[in-house]
Amino acid sequence: MYNIAKTAFRNKNSTVASLFHSHQSRSISRQSSKLVKPERMVEKEEDKKVTRVLFCGPHLPDSYNFTRDYLQPYPFIQADVAHFRDVPEVIKNYHICVTLLMQMDSFVISRASNMKLIMQFGVGLDGVDIDAATKNGIKVARIPSEGNGNAASCSEMAIYLMLGLLKKQNEMQMSVQSRLLGQPTGGTLLGKTVFILGYGNIGIELAKRLKPFGSRVIATKRSWPASVMNSDSSLVDEKGSHEDIYTFASKADIVVVCLRLSKETAEIVNNKFISSMKKGALLVNIARGGLINYESAYQGLESGHLGGLGTDVAWSEPFDPNDPILKFKNVIMTPHVAGVTEFSYRSMAKVRKILSLYLHFLHFVTKLNCYKYTGGRRCCLTVA
C-alpha cells in the first residue's frame, strides 16, 4: 500500500496527484506542538472537507512536528496533538489517530465515531485494542522497523547500553566527581557471547553491529525460514527456537531483549529466565518494559546474580525517578529514546503523510491489506 501511494504521489500526471495540487481548504498552522483542548473543538463548515489527524499524548514531540512539516503543503490534512486526558473527549472529531505511548482501549475507541484508522506510532501494536477497533470498523496500522531507520537506531541503543554497563558508566561518573583516575575497571564486548532474544529486524541490525566488536552472537526466533536455517550466514553463530531460550540464556554474557510484547511474551524474562542466566551476566531491553518481570529483575540485581540492567523502556512510563531499582549503580535507564533519531522520525513521518493523503483521496476505502491474527482476520494493515 505504501508503494502504491508513493508511486501515485511521484507521478504528477496521475489523477490522485492532480487532486493534491488542486484541492483547496484551510491551511495548517505552523505553530509549535500546542495541545488541542476540548473547548477548542468547535467544528466549522469548512472542517467537513478536512481530514483530521490526532496525535495522542504529549510525549515524543518530534514525531508530531516532523509530520506537520511534511503535511504543510496539503492544507486539507490537519494534524493536532492532545493530552492523554483530553483524547476521549476530542477523538470523535478525528479520522486518523497516531498513538504516542497511549493505550487505545475499548473505551477510547468506542468514542472515536469518525475514526477510519488508528496508527501505532512505532513498530508494535501492543498499545491498541485490535478487537475493539475491529468491532468499530476501524483499521489499525503499524510502521515496520525495517527500512525506516528505527531498527538501526534501536540496535545502536542496545550497543550503547551494553557498553555503558560493561564500562560501568555510573561508576565512571562517580570517579569523575571524586577526582579518581584509572577506575573502575571495565569490560569489553570482545569475546562476549550475546544472546539476541527475538531475532527480528532489530536483532538483525544488532548482529551486524556486534560482529566488528568480536562478539559471538546467538539468537532465538519462534520460527526460522529454511533459507536462513540452512545458510552459512556469518551473523549468527548459533540459532535456536523459543524452546531454547533458557539454554541460550545460560550460555550468554549479555542478553538483549528484542521481542514484541504480546500475551505470549509478557514477562518472558522472569525469575526462571534470570536464574538460567550466568551469574554476573548483563540484561539489556530495547523493546518493551512489560517483557521483563520487575520483581525478578530487582531481586536479581539485589542478590548480585544479575550483573547489570540497561533498559530504554520501563514497566510504567514515564518512569518514577525515585523507583528503588535505580539505586543500583549497575542500572542504566534511558527515556524510551532508542528509536528517537531524526532519520527514523522523518522516515516514519513521511509514511504517515503518504498514508493520510492516500486515505483522504480514496475517501477512506476499506480495501486494505490485512494481518491475520490468531482467532481470525482482523481490521489491521501494515504500511510496508
Side-chain angles (χ1 to χ4, degrees):
M1 178 177 176
Y2 171 77
N3 290 330
I4 293 173
K6 182 167 64 174
T7 301
F9 298 140
R10 285 180 174 175
N11 182 3
K12 292 186 178 181
N13 296 321
S14 70
T15 303
V16 176
S18 64
L19 284 172
F20 295 154
H21 294 284
S22 64
H23 194 290
Q24 295 296 320
S25 187
R26 63 178 184 156
S27 298
I28 301 175
S29 171
R30 293 281 301 179
Q31 297 175 358
S32 59
S33 307
K34 292 183 178 179
L35 299 181
V36 64
K37 299 292 184 181
E39 57 269 20
R40 291 173 53 193
M41 303 305 298
V42 179
E43 188 176 45
K44 299 177 182 179
E45 184 62 30
E46 62 266 29
D47 289 340
K48 296 178 180 179
K49 299 179 181 179
V50 175
T51 295
R52 307 185 71 175
V53 183
L54 178 66
F55 283 74
C56 304
H59 303 298
L60 311 174
D62 276 341
S63 66
Y64 168 72
N65 293 330
F66 291 158
T67 301
R68 280 181 59 133
D69 285 345
Y70 290 127
L71 287 173
Q72 183 64 23
Y74 310 100
F76 42 86
I77 308 290
Q78 176 186 334
D80 295 319
V81 60
H83 196 279
F84 297 139
R85 62 176 176 268
D86 295 325
V87 169
E89 188 168 350
V90 304
I91 196 169
K92 63 181 180 292
N93 300 293
Y94 291 88
H95 309 103
I96 302 172
C97 77
V98 181
T99 66
L100 300 178
L101 304 181
M102 178 177 179
Q103 291 295 314
M104 299 297 292
D105 57 25
S106 58
F107 170 73
V108 176
I109 291 174
S110 68
R111 299 174 69 89
S113 55
N114 291 304
M115 191 65 57
K116 304 298 180 183
L117 174 69
I118 296 173
M119 177 174 279
Q120 179 83 356
F121 167 71
V123 300
L125 283 170
D126 48 282
V128 182
D129 186 332
I130 298 176
D131 287 326
T134 302
K135 181 179 179 181
N136 286 273
I138 302 172
K139 299 291 182 181
V140 180
R142 70 178 180 90
I143 302 176
S145 60
E146 183 181 12
N148 59 34
N150 182 269
S153 300
C154 289
S155 66
E156 289 178 4
M157 176 59 80
I159 296 287
Y160 167 82
L161 291 171
M162 284 188 276
L163 289 174
L165 292 173
L166 287 167
K167 302 298 183 183
K168 302 181 180 178
Q169 175 179 301
N170 293 334
E171 293 180 61
M172 285 195 291
Q173 291 303 309
M174 294 176 190
S175 292
V176 171
Q177 294 298 321
S178 301
R179 301 190 178 194
L180 300 175
L181 299 177
Q183 54 181 293
T185 301
T188 175
L189 278 170
L190 177 64
K192 294 293 189 299
T193 296
V194 180
F195 171 24
I196 300 176
L197 179 58
Y199 193 71
N201 291 328
I202 294 173
I204 293 170
E205 293 297 326
L206 177 56
K208 291 177 183 177
R209 287 159 176 76
L210 283 170
K211 280 302 177 181
F213 281 97
S215 301
R216 180 173 184 268
V217 177
I218 61 178
T220 56
K221 186 178 178 68
R222 189 168 295 278
S223 61
W224 293 83
S227 58
V228 176
M229 285 296 291
N230 298 328
S231 70
D232 57 352
S233 171
S234 60
L235 286 180
V236 180
D237 297 286
E238 185 177 355
K239 304 179 182 73
S241 63
H242 180 71
E243 290 71 25
D244 300 315
I245 62 173
Y246 302 110
T247 302
F248 275 45
S250 69
K251 299 178 180 181
D253 301 298
I254 306 170
V255 175
V256 184
V257 184
C258 300
L259 291 166
R260 291 180 187 170
L261 181 61
S262 66
K263 291 179 181 179
E264 291 74 28
T265 61
E267 298 192 345
I268 192 170
V269 179
N270 50 25
N271 186 59
K272 180 181 178 181
F273 185 95
I274 292 175
S275 297
S276 300
M277 294 172 64
K278 290 181 180 179
K279 180 176 174 58
L282 307 177
L283 178 61
V284 170
N285 186 5
I286 44 83
R288 290 291 186 269
L291 293 165
I292 298 177
N293 178 272
Y294 175 90
E295 292 298 330
S296 299
Y298 187 93
Q299 291 169 13
L301 291 164
E302 191 169 47
S303 69
H305 182 77
L306 194 58
L309 171 66
T311 182
D312 182 59
V313 288
W315 297 268
S316 61
E317 295 178 327
F319 198 55
D320 180 2
N322 298 312
D323 190 283
I325 203 169
L326 297 178
K327 73 179 182 181
F328 297 105
K329 60 186 178 182
N330 55 345
V331 170
I332 299 175
M333 177 168 283
T334 51
H336 206 131
V337 291
V340 182
T341 61
E342 183 168 353
F343 177 73
S344 65
Y345 266 37
R346 288 196 179 279
S347 296
M348 289 190 284
K350 289 176 182 177
V351 173
R352 286 190 290 272
K353 176 198 75 172
I354 291 173
L355 186 55
S356 298
L357 293 169
Y358 191 69
L359 290 180
H360 179 89
F361 283 99
L362 290 182
H363 302 287
F364 305 108
V365 295
T366 58
K367 297 178 181 179
L368 302 173
N369 293 329
C370 293
Y371 280 137
K372 194 168 186 179
Y373 275 75
T374 302
R377 202 164 180 81
R378 310 295 180 89
C379 290
C380 228
L381 63 106
T382 299
V383 184

